[in-house]
Amino acid sequence: MVHRSVPVFTCALGAIIAPLPAPAQEPAAVVAVPAVVLDLPPYPPPLLVVAARPPVLAEPVRDMLKAIMKTEDTKAVETVVNLAVQTNPYDKDEIRAMHRAYLDRSAQLLAARSKADKERIRSSGVLELWKGQIELGAFRGTGNTDNFGFTGAIKLERKGIDWEHTVELRADYQKDRDTITREQYFAAYQPRYTLGDGIFTYARAQFEKDRIQGYNGRSTLSGGFGYRAIARKRVTLSIEAGPAVRRTNYVNQADETTWSALGALDFDWIVSPTLKITQDASAYVGSDNNTFTSLTGLEAGMARGLKARLSYAIEHETSPPAGALKTDTISRFSLVYGF
């Protein structure tokens, strides 16, 4: 911008001396004319207007945002976007626009995948969509027995849109000098149907055999309602409650059928990609005998599909058969292969 000074024009006529006839011996008269000064106001300088384009996001920052937005990690994208806005405040509108476009694409992709998964589940057969794991290892038992033995288990799960099915099989066996010192078998099947808002209904059929504890077989049927109290990506917690009927075939006593109330808890916590903590517990509360069980597990990933598992189980009967102890514990170490 150029500033120009406005000159101030001054008109000076100076001193005009006009000779006049004077009488003899008198000096000539001098007439002085005052100077005239013109004082004009300053002239405002002209404004220089230049058309400018809106700010443009720097190419390195744009390339960084495009690279991170090719992933599906929305949290990482949000972190990078916030950092870009802090370091490039004049380009925040363009950065936010890129982020909104990314979120829209992610939502559309998630909706498309969800629709495809539902169609795949609806068109699948009864024997499809099953996932499971096989567990083999050793155990250490205390209570009615105090020994070491072998343990094995199979768990199958099928998750549909509204239905979930779980099948569990487990066996603990030990034989010493042709004498069976541990023979415990367990089998269970449980379907769940989701009603909505974390509420579901369930049914459960279960069979147990443990001659050391005093019964050749114990069958249980139950059903009721459950609630998914926590349903996060890494942490889940569900609780169940309902009536149950139990038929027990004792070794040295008459068979017995009893009614009881069942309460159960299922907790899973994925601490890291290679570490998981599980806690299962149940309580059968009846008029003559109560059964409380607890199974705590720690799983550590070893290789693809293979992990090591440590678990500690407690089973307590308030009124066990004659000659049997109330509490049994089993510590297991096993390898688990998922498929």
Side-chain angles (χ1 to χ4, degrees), residues 135-141 145 147-153 169-175 180-186 209-212 295 311 313 315 328-334:
E135 180 179 350
L136 294 174
F139 74 85
R140 164 78 160 81
T145 60
N147 51 20
F148 293 87
F150 299 99
T151 183
L169 303 172
R170 178 176 294 279
D172 296 316
Y173 184 84
Q174 201 275 338
K175 187 174 183 180
I180 298 176
T181 57
R182 184 76 178 187
E183 186 181 16
Q184 185 179 42
Y185 302 105
F186 174 87
K209 179 180 180 180
D210 192 340
R211 292 180 57 85
I212 306 301
L295 176 60
S311 65
E315 183 172 347
D328 274 353
T329 68
I330 300 179
S331 302
R332 298 183 180 96
F333 172 77
S334 54

Side-chain angles (χ1 to χ4, degrees), residues 58-103:
E59 286 300 324
V61 180
R62 186 190 303 275
D63 293 340
M64 177 186 64
L65 291 172
K66 287 182 177 180
I68 192 64
M69 288 181 182
K70 290 181 180 179
T71 68
E72 298 183 9
D73 192 344
T74 56
K75 291 186 178 180
V77 171
E78 184 177 1
T79 300
V80 174
V81 166
N82 292 335
L83 181 61
V85 169
Q86 292 177 6
T87 55
N88 301 269
Y90 296 106
D91 305 310
K92 62 180 181 180
D93 293 338
E94 186 175 358
I95 297 172
R96 295 298 186 192
M98 294 177 65
H99 192 204
R100 286 193 297 270
Y102 166 79
L103 294 177

Side-chain angles (χ1 to χ4, degrees), residues 234-315:
R234 292 182 175 272
V235 182
T236 60
L237 172 63
S238 62
I239 53 178
E240 302 170 356
V245 57
R246 310 179 80 182
R247 175 70 176 177
T248 306
N249 179 13
Y250 292 104
V251 175
N252 299 318
Q253 297 178 210
D255 295 352
E256 186 181 38
T257 301
T258 59
W259 287 89
S260 61
L262 168 64
L265 176 147
D266 184 358
F267 174 77
D268 293 332
W269 178 22
I270 302 177
V271 182
S272 69
T274 58
L275 187 63
K276 181 180 179 180
I277 297 175
T278 63
Q279 176 63 57
D280 299 318
S282 65
Y284 290 90
V285 181
S287 58
D288 56 345
N289 182 39
N290 303 326
T291 302
F292 302 97
T293 64
S294 173
L295 176 60
T296 305
L298 176 64
E299 299 178 357
M302 299 177 60
R304 184 177 181 85
L306 184 65
K307 53 190 174 183
R309 177 178 172 83
L310 291 172
S311 65
Y312 183 72
I314 302 175
E315 183 172 347

